[in-house]
C-alpha cells in the first residue's frame, strides 16, 4: 500500500465490523504503527496474534447490546484488555453519542459504546469514529 499511495505514516488508524472488528482489536498488538483503533462488534480468540506491542493506544469500541453472533460480553472483555493496557480506572463518564462511556484515569482515551441492537452496525458509528480519529 505504501508503494502506491501517499500515506501519512503518523496517522494510520484501524476500524472494522465483525471479523474486521476482531482484526482492529488484534492489529495494534502485532504492529506499532496505529495512532488509534475503533473496533465494532469484534472479540478475541478468532484471529491469532502475538502481543508484541502492549503500550497504550486510544480506543473507541462499539457493540450491540443484543448481539448473539459475537456475544457482547466477549467484545467487552477484549475492550477491557485495552482499558488495562491504557491504565484506566473503573469510573466512567457518559459521552456522545448516547450509549458511550469514556473510562477515567486512562493514559490514552478509552471509550466503550453499547448501542441497542444485534450483530449490526450502528447509525452513530461513522460520525463518532471520524470525530474520534480526528482528535489524533
Amino acid at each position: 500500500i505504501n508503494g502506491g499511495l501517499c500515506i501519512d505514516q503518523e496517522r494510520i488508524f484501524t476500524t472494522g465490523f465483525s471479523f474486521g472488528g476482531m482484526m482492529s482489536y488484534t492489529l495494534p498488538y502485532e504492529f506499532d504503527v496505529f495512532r488509534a483503533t475503533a473496533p465494532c462488534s469484534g472479540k478475541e480468540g478468532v484471529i491469532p496474534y502475538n502481543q508484541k506491542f502492549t503500550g497504550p493506544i486510544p480506543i473507541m469500541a462499539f457493540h450491540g447490546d443484543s448481539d448473539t453472533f459475537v456475544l457482547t460480553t466477549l467484545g467487552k472483555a477484549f475492550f477491557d484488555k485495552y482499558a488495562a493496557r491504557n491504565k484506566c480506572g473503573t469510573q466512567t463518564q457518559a459521552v456522545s453519542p448516547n450509549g458511550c462511556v469514556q473510562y477515567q484515569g486512562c493514559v490514552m482515551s478509552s471509550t466503550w459504546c453499547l448501542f441497542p441492537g444485534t450483530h449490526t452496525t450502528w447509525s452513530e458509528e461513522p460520525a463518532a469514529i471520524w470525530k474520534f480519529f480526528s482528535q489524533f
Side-chain angles (χ1 to χ4, degrees):
I1 293 174
N2 284 329
L5 300 172
C6 180
I7 296 174
D8 181 347
Q9 299 298 312
E10 299 298 316
R11 302 191 83 206
I12 299 175
F13 303 92
T14 180
T15 187
F17 166 72
S18 192
F19 194 78
M22 296 171 203
M23 176 194 70
S24 292
Y25 269 124
T26 60
L27 282 174
Y29 278 105
E30 287 277 351
F31 304 97
D32 189 24
V33 298
F34 297 101
R35 194 161 209 168
T37 186
C40 308
S41 303
K43 68 175 184 170
E44 188 173 23
V46 175
I47 301 173
Y49 68 98
N50 294 313
Q51 290 190 17
K52 295 177 189 173
F53 302 99
T54 57
I57 182 172
I59 184 170
M60 184 177 207
F62 300 83
H63 216 109
D65 64 359
S66 302
D67 192 338
T68 57
F69 187 73
V70 176
L71 297 178
T72 307
T73 56
L74 298 178
K76 179 66 164 69
F78 211 171
F79 170 82
D80 287 345
K81 285 185 74 168
Y82 274 85
R85 181 177 175 169
N86 290 341
K87 300 177 181 18
C88 297
T90 57
Q91 298 243 341
T92 62
Q93 179 177 349
V95 294
S96 180
N98 190 32
C100 298
V101 293
Q102 188 169 46
Y103 280 68
Q104 303 299 293
C106 308
V107 296
M108 290 287 182
S109 179
S110 302
T111 303
W112 170 253
C113 297
L114 188 64
F115 62 90
T118 59
H119 191 68
T120 186
T121 57
W122 183 32
S123 62
E124 301 288 330
E125 279 176 24
I129 291 169
W130 181 255
K131 183 178 178 184
F132 175 67
F133 284 167
S134 295
Q135 299 174 76
F136 309 103

